[in-house]
Amino acid sequence: MTIKNVFIAGMAKCGTTALSEWMVVNGLAEDRVPGEKEPYLFSNDEAHPARLRSADLPLLDASVGYANNPAAVQRLPERDTRLVLCLRNQFDRMWSTYKMFKIDRMDTPQVQDYFLSFQEQGSSTGRKPRDAHDFSDFLIDICRKHYPRRSHLIVEGYARQELEHIRTHTFMQRLEYELAFYLSRRHFPFFSALSSSFYYTPLKTLLTKYLPSDIAVISVHQLADADARRRFVDAVFEKSVDTPPVPVVFTSSEIAIDEARPDFNDRAFDTLRACLRYDLVQARGLIATTRLGDSLLDNAELDRYLVAT
């Protein structure tokens, strides 16, 4: 089988930027849209031009929202395709997501350095740098891509309302709001810190279309090991080559915001902890069937905080 398409279909704030850049820099794939990590071409049914390969490499699309969008998954090419799902400790992931949204419009040296780090990481891939001053516009543009053009003004209004909610509320207030929003509407609001910490439904969505052997589920930092990288490259690209480690750094951890990182062992998180624990149990049943099983997952990291101490 010749691999023609590779999608890093999820999850946000799990090392997907570093992984996608590593694939491009090491000649394993080329961006489906040159200079774009997350083009979201398949988030809607608008026609887009076919990509002509500049090399005999798979086309890479690392739009991490795909796995949470059943309609988008059904639009992805089915044949000669591999999908990667990146997982991270659920609480660390949601805090990282919350901080990313919280720093929108912040103008401090730490925030500027954070966005400059994306420019440095992507410099060898030709990807466009991000800018702290238009980051919210970048986020809103992603939201709009999931909806018809005639509704873009409405979508933008809701999106800006959600960003304002994040700016003016605490982390715990945001989680309570998102849970209430989900229980009343059966979906999460825009810019959810919580939604991508549930792993069963995204994986189930991918498995409605793809064979388990088409999907690799990993913790990106596990690719620090040379043997793990060889198995990953063989599973996704069907190649036997040596590669350098993936340079995973969660740079937002250095940014200070106006609230401290929570103690996720606190009993205040018990209800959410129980939900995430049950979700992970269900997800593991599906993960076991996929191409690499859980051999490249850090299970100890995923289980951290799931039992109250």
Side-chain angles (χ1 to χ4, degrees):
M1 174 177 170
T2 300
I3 307 303
K4 296 180 180 178
N5 309 286
V6 174
F7 293 93
I8 302 177
M11 308 298 287
K13 307 306 291 179
C14 291
T16 60
T17 297
L19 180 64
S20 65
E21 290 172 353
W22 173 83
M23 290 178 178
V24 173
V25 169
N26 288 285
L28 297 171
E30 61 178 324
D31 285 328
R32 180 173 289 274
V33 175
E36 294 273 355
K37 177 209 173 193
E38 300 178 84
Y40 283 95
L41 294 178
F42 298 93
S43 61
N44 57 60
D45 57 7
E46 293 181 13
H48 56 266
R51 171 76 161 94
L52 298 177
R53 290 174 172 79
S54 60
D56 188 21
L57 294 174
L59 298 180
L60 172 65
D61 182 340
S63 302
V64 293
Y66 283 155
N68 279 317
N69 185 338
V73 169
Q74 291 306 310
R75 297 185 191 106
L76 301 181
E78 183 172 3
R79 298 185 181 277
D80 306 322
T81 297
R82 289 280 190 267
L83 300 108
V84 180
L85 200 62
C86 303
L87 308 187
R88 180 185 176 192
N89 176 270
Q90 305 90 321
F91 286 94
D92 289 339
R93 195 218 62 78
M94 72 176 72
W95 174 247
S96 180
T97 298
Y98 172 76
K99 283 183 69 176
M100 182 184 70
F101 296 146
K102 194 81 170 181
I103 65 175
D104 177 49
R105 304 301 183 191
M106 285 176 59
D107 189 14
T108 68
Q110 280 185 319
V111 171
Q112 296 298 329
D113 288 345
Y114 171 68
F115 284 99
L116 284 173
S117 72
F118 287 99
Q119 183 174 359
E120 292 166 0
Q121 293 169 19
S123 60
S124 55
T125 65
R127 291 181 178 171
K128 302 171 185 175
R130 294 181 186 173
D131 191 301
H133 299 291
D134 61 11
F135 183 54
S136 59
D137 294 332
F138 167 77
L139 296 173
I140 291 167
D141 184 58
I142 289 177
C143 288
R144 282 196 297 249
K145 288 181 178 179
H146 292 276
Y147 296 89
R149 288 183 184 178
R150 64 181 178 274
S151 63
H152 281 188
L153 285 177
I154 297 172
V155 169
E156 180 174 347
Y158 280 121
R160 293 196 183 280
Q161 187 176 15
E162 292 299 336
L163 287 173
E164 181 63 21
H165 186 280
I166 293 170
R167 279 191 288 266
T168 55
H169 290 74
T170 66
F171 181 65
M172 286 300 296
Q173 288 171 335
R174 182 66 187 179
L175 294 188
E176 290 173 359
Y177 164 76
E178 289 188 16
L179 283 173
F181 194 103
Y182 178 79
L183 290 173
S184 62
R185 307 191 190 193
R186 293 299 183 264
H187 62 84
F188 288 99
F190 289 143
F191 311 126
S192 170
L194 182 57
S195 64
S196 291
S197 285
F198 289 94
Y199 299 144
Y200 172 79
T201 296
L203 185 53
K204 184 70 173 178
T205 297
L206 295 177
L207 286 167
T208 60
K209 178 170 183 176
Y210 293 97
L211 297 175
S213 58
D214 294 329
I215 302 170
V217 184
I218 68 167
S219 301
V220 173
H221 65 266
Q222 296 292 81
L223 300 182
D225 177 75
D227 178 64
R229 290 196 303 277
R230 280 191 290 270
R231 288 188 288 123
F232 175 75
V233 171
D234 178 66
V236 176
F237 299 98
E238 297 191 350
K239 291 182 177 180
S240 180
V241 296
D242 291 327
T243 54
V246 180
V248 181
V249 178
F250 294 114
T251 50
S252 65
S253 63
E254 305 301 321
I255 298 177
I257 60 174
D258 58 0
E259 57 187 300
R261 182 181 185 277
D263 175 7
F264 294 122
N265 289 311
D266 191 283
R267 300 306 298 263
F269 291 100
D270 279 0
T271 298
L272 179 57
R273 191 186 334 276
C275 295
L276 292 171
R277 183 168 57 239
Y278 181 79
D279 176 80
L280 185 58
V281 169
Q282 302 305 304
R284 278 175 166 149
L286 299 181
I287 291 167
T289 70
T290 59
R291 191 169 185 85
L292 291 164
D294 69 349
S295 65
L296 294 186
L297 274 181
D298 187 340
N299 284 297
E301 186 211 25
L302 292 174
D303 287 329
R304 191 169 10 105
Y305 310 127
L306 291 187
V307 178
T309 60

